[in-house]
Amino acid sequence: MNELIQKLVEAFGPSGFEDQMRQLIRPEIEPYADEISVDALGNLIARKKGDGSGLKVMIAAHMDEIGVMITHVTEEGFLRFTNIGGVSAHTLLGGRVQFADGTVGIIHADRFEDAHELHPLSKYFIDVGATSRQNCPVAVGAPAGFYRPLLVQGSRLSAKTMDDRIGCVVAIEALKRLSTTPHDLYFVFSVQEEVGTRGAQTAANAINPDVGIALDVTLTGDVPEARPMAVRLGAGAAIKVKDSGMIAHTGLVRLMRQRASAANIPYQLEVLDGGTTDARPMQIAGPGCAAGCISIPCRYVHTPSETVDAGDVEHCVQLLVEILRNPIDL
Ligand code: CO
Ligand code: ZN
């Protein structure tokens, strides 16, 4: 699984520019899917048919990452930019981004009058080594993702895009391990989650599932002076009860807990104060469906060093497999 994790977390794919991610994931899932399709927005959808006795289940993990987009190139060849998704200024100074063609840029900012102030994003710039607008290899409209290799320290894995490439890994791994299922499964590798769960919305409208399960990271409360939160790294798969965009279907939460207990999979309950996932658009698409989320606990979300625990990742895979290979009685 580590090789797959490295491949996906280091790849380029800001919201709306997920082509490279689609190319990486497709060959991983092709041997295990009955049908593969790509919709107009770019969602990659793998269907695995059941025996006809189960429900229609959509599983969603987003391929996109937060990033930046160039808004202006100065005479001297520096690049001004805007955000793609939830980028905070205090994660930027001295960091690096990478463009679709591999060009790497260094992020810095205009002089700070006051060391305690935080500039708006408009006062940051990117240096790609150009000396003028003419020889700058990057143009207005170019998207970039953050640039950082995977770091492995014992069971801890850190990367720029655990959100949500690790969810993609959980989906791929579960699909590989599922030999048979009673359910009609749609594994959706969704686009544009970070700019408002747009891909999962169109996919859920088209698929019209009975049950929707998102796979995404969640915050933890286990670092110094963290916002109080019960989720800890290494304490198992997190079963979402509520976040700021969705209250999980109570029957689905009960089923997830039962499956985890029956299979001796460590789990924790998650109530997230800020943010939401692809479970929200699934829940309210069409006539609505029973939606929930299996979350991978993650420290430092939306920084270039998002950190998860390999044990938690494995337990999320196991929990998803247990849910999908058994009857779902809500
Ligand atoms: Co995110
Ligand atoms: Zn996410």
Side-chain angles (χ1 to χ4, degrees):
M1 199 160 35
N2 267 13
E3 215 173 296
L4 177 64
I5 291 173
Q6 176 158 22
K7 201 157 51 164
L8 297 195
V9 299
E10 293 181 354
F12 171 90
S15 310
F17 302 88
E18 298 91 353
D19 343 13
Q20 294 185 24
M21 282 301 298
R22 224 169 13 247
Q23 281 166 23
L24 283 174
I25 292 176
R26 192 173 179 131
E28 296 288 335
I29 56 178
E30 220 143 33
Y32 307 94
D34 295 311
E35 288 165 16
I36 294 212
S37 61
V38 177
D39 71 10
L41 268 76
N43 293 303
L44 174 64
I45 303 169
R47 181 176 179 194
K48 183 179 171 65
K49 293 181 184 166
D51 62 16
S53 69
L55 301 177
K56 196 193 275 188
V57 183
M58 171 172 162
I59 301 99
H62 66 92
M63 297 188 287
D64 62 312
E65 60 179 313
I66 58 169
V68 302
M69 182 179 277
I70 303 313
T71 53
H72 175 72
V73 183
T74 71
E75 283 295 325
E76 301 78 19
F78 293 100
L79 307 158
R80 296 289 188 182
F81 59 90
T82 186
N83 61 305
I84 298 176
V87 175
S88 340
H90 52 265
T91 65
L92 295 180
L93 216 57
R96 296 175 191 188
V97 293
Q98 188 168 37
F99 293 86
D101 67 356
T103 300
V104 172
I106 294 155
I107 311 168
H108 211 272
D110 301 356
R111 185 166 52 88
F112 290 84
E113 297 295 345
D114 165 359
H116 301 292
E117 90 181 306
L118 202 57
H119 283 325
L121 279 190
S122 56
K123 294 197 169 203
Y124 284 77
F125 58 80
I126 294 169
D127 181 347
V128 289
T131 51
S132 73
R133 188 180 289 150
Q134 282 67 43
N135 69 19
C136 181
V138 176
V140 169
F146 293 95
Y147 180 60
R148 199 71 72 104
L150 173 70
L151 172 68
V152 180
Q153 299 195 108
S155 69
R156 299 286 153 89
L157 313 173
S158 304
K160 59 160 184 147
T161 54
M162 285 301 171
D163 177 12
D164 185 27
R165 308 290 168 73
I166 203 67
C168 295
V169 169
V170 170
I172 293 165
E173 223 13 69
L175 176 60
K176 286 181 180 173
R177 291 185 200 179
L178 264 177
S179 41
T180 58
T181 172
H183 310 293
D184 198 9
L185 303 180
Y186 291 80
F187 284 83
V188 176
F189 298 89
S190 64
V191 296
Q192 300 193 33
E193 191 274 350
E194 296 290 358
V195 292
T197 61
R198 295 172 193 170
Q201 187 173 334
T202 60
N205 276 320
I207 293 165
N208 192 20
D210 303 306
V211 174
I213 300 174
L215 307 168
D216 209 334
V217 298
T218 191
L219 308 182
T220 67
D222 61 353
V223 293
E225 313 231 0
R227 177 169 12 178
M229 187 171 171
V231 175
R232 289 179 297 123
L233 220 58
I239 296 174
K240 191 186 293 288
V241 179
K242 177 188 179 300
D243 63 25
S244 47
M246 186 205 60
I247 297 162
H249 184 276
T250 52
L252 186 55
V253 170
R254 189 185 340 110
L255 178 102
M256 286 180 178
R257 297 180 64 176
Q258 282 167 352
R259 293 280 179 262
S261 299
N264 276 318
I265 301 165
Y267 74 92
Q268 38 193 335
L269 294 177
E270 173 209 348
V271 179
L272 176 66
D273 239 356
T276 195
T277 71
D278 280 344
R280 175 188 163 85
M282 288 195 277
Q283 183 173 56
I284 56 176
C289 78
C293 179
I294 298 175
S295 302
I296 305 99
C298 185
R299 291 179 180 169
Y300 324 126
V301 172
H302 286 203
T303 78
S305 298
E306 299 176 330
T307 299
V308 301
D309 184 87
D312 292 338
V313 177
E314 171 61 24
H315 293 131
C316 289
V317 176
Q318 290 174 4
L319 177 55
L320 183 60
V321 169
E322 285 302 312
I323 293 164
L324 299 180
R325 73 184 180 90
N326 289 302
I328 294 178
D329 175 14
L330 300 175

